[in-house]
Amino acid sequence: MPRRTATMLASLLMLIALLCAGVLIPVPYSEMSPGPTVNTLGEHGGEPVLQISGRTTYPTSGHLNMTTVRVTGSQYRMNLVEAVYGWLAHDNLVVPHTTLYPEDKSPDELNQETAEEFTQSQESAKVAALRQLDIPVGTRVIVSSVVKGSPAEGALHAGDVIKAVDGTAVKEHGDVAKLVTRHKAGEKVTFLIVPAKEAAAAEKEKRQPRTEDKVTLVTAKAPEDGRAIVGIQAGRDHTFPFTINIKLADVGGPSAGLMFALGIVDKLTPEDLTGGKFVAGTGTIDDTGKVGPIGGVQMKTVGARSKGARYFLTPKDNCAAAAKDAPSGLTLVKVDTIKDALQSLEKIRKGDAAGLPQCSAH
């Protein structure tokens, strides 16, 4: 065989071997890309995203879209070719696998965590929206969880409302631990509670609870420091004067909070917040209406623009990253609170784009 032919054949075989290796060899990376975007004012899966009953609602127009990021699954292992393609792709981001899936958490634990964050974001969105509208929101202390094998197991249950401990009224969830730790391990502590089922029924029927129970427990000793414990995690829950349901499946995490809150405000006020404009956005929200940063903002802006958004409500702390590579035709509007967002929406519907607080890369 001529030397030139042999060299070409060897090079070809080496190239084939490299390509095969690139396809077959897994690399410790995952990929993030623009995900679906859903109008909180519209429908998803054949039913309204925001469902409000027991209160007058008003027609809406335009879009207030929440945005998402699509990620490769926890069990999926990218190969070298996919990773290189992802690195080169303009709209995708390749990150270490452990960034999305920490080694100290199982896939089930991560799914549970993101589901809980999503549920909490809905709760905070409702609270922030109603408080913005000066609609009273009730607050109560509840049993968030019960530790298996603890004194509270079987006696207290998640969702029980804690009214008092040893006759002292409980106003904040931190009060529970303070009152329990006044005791020494082995002493008795008495809880006054409204059982979870009765609390839920009373809220649904818009009435006061009919029953309260006293539950006496013997405290145990915390293994780390010996303080008295009963084995519960106390938390805060809210009661609303009417029903608000948020229906959106297959979404996790807290980043839709701002857009849910704005959608609720839009439906509860005669003023059309968007004026028919296509507005998208992202951001966590707390009970006070404070907007927090999220991950994957650049992919969310790409996903929003691809669906037709012209304005993107961007958390203040995400502004610099979002502005570095903003899609053409998309105005990035800086927001820090729900009040900021509502003021910017007023400018948008009036056509005052020049007056908007826009994101800067600096």
Side-chain angles (χ1 to χ4, degrees), residues 208-225:
Q208 292 297 313
R210 297 188 180 119
T211 60
E212 293 181 347
D213 295 341
K214 284 187 176 181
V215 178
T216 300
L217 305 171
V218 177
T219 59
K221 182 184 292 187
E224 63 272 14
D225 57 15

Side-chain angles (χ1 to χ4, degrees), residues 318-360:
N318 288 126
C319 259
K324 285 181 179 178
D325 194 19
S328 176
L330 186 68
T331 299
L332 303 181
V333 182
K334 179 170 63 177
V335 297
D336 192 39
T337 65
I338 188 174
K339 185 176 180 180
D340 292 344
L342 291 168
Q343 290 172 343
S344 290
L345 286 172
E346 182 179 5
K347 289 182 171 67
I348 288 170
R349 69 175 175 267
K350 290 181 177 179
D352 183 19
L356 291 170
Q358 298 188 30
C359 290
S360 168

Side-chain angles (χ1 to χ4, degrees), residues 9 13 40 70-71 107 137 206 223 227 230 261 282 353:
L9 180 60
L13 291 174
T40 61
R70 182 179 284 112
V71 298
V137 176
K206 307 303 177 189
R227 73 187 188 283
V230 295
T282 190

Side-chain angles (χ1 to χ4, degrees), residues 123-134:
E123 191 78 0
S124 293
K126 297 174 189 177
V127 175
L130 268 58
R131 286 180 174 169
Q132 179 63 34
L133 297 172
D134 294 325

Side-chain angles (χ1 to χ4, degrees), residues 19-61:
L19 288 173
C20 289
V23 171
L24 296 175
I25 297 176
V27 292
Y29 292 95
S30 295
E31 186 175 55
M32 303 169 66
S33 59
T37 174
V38 177
N39 186 10
T40 61
L41 303 176
E43 293 188 352
H44 184 70
E47 60 181 344
V49 175
L50 299 176
Q51 302 178 8
I52 300 174
S53 59
R55 183 86 174 193
T56 300
T57 58
Y58 300 90
T60 60
S61 68

Side-chain angles (χ1 to χ4, degrees), residues 14 92 95 114 140-141 180 194 240 313 340 345:
M14 184 175 294
N92 295 1
V95 298
T114 58
R140 59 191 181 185
V141 178
V180 170
V194 176
F240 303 101
L313 302 178
D340 292 344
L345 286 172

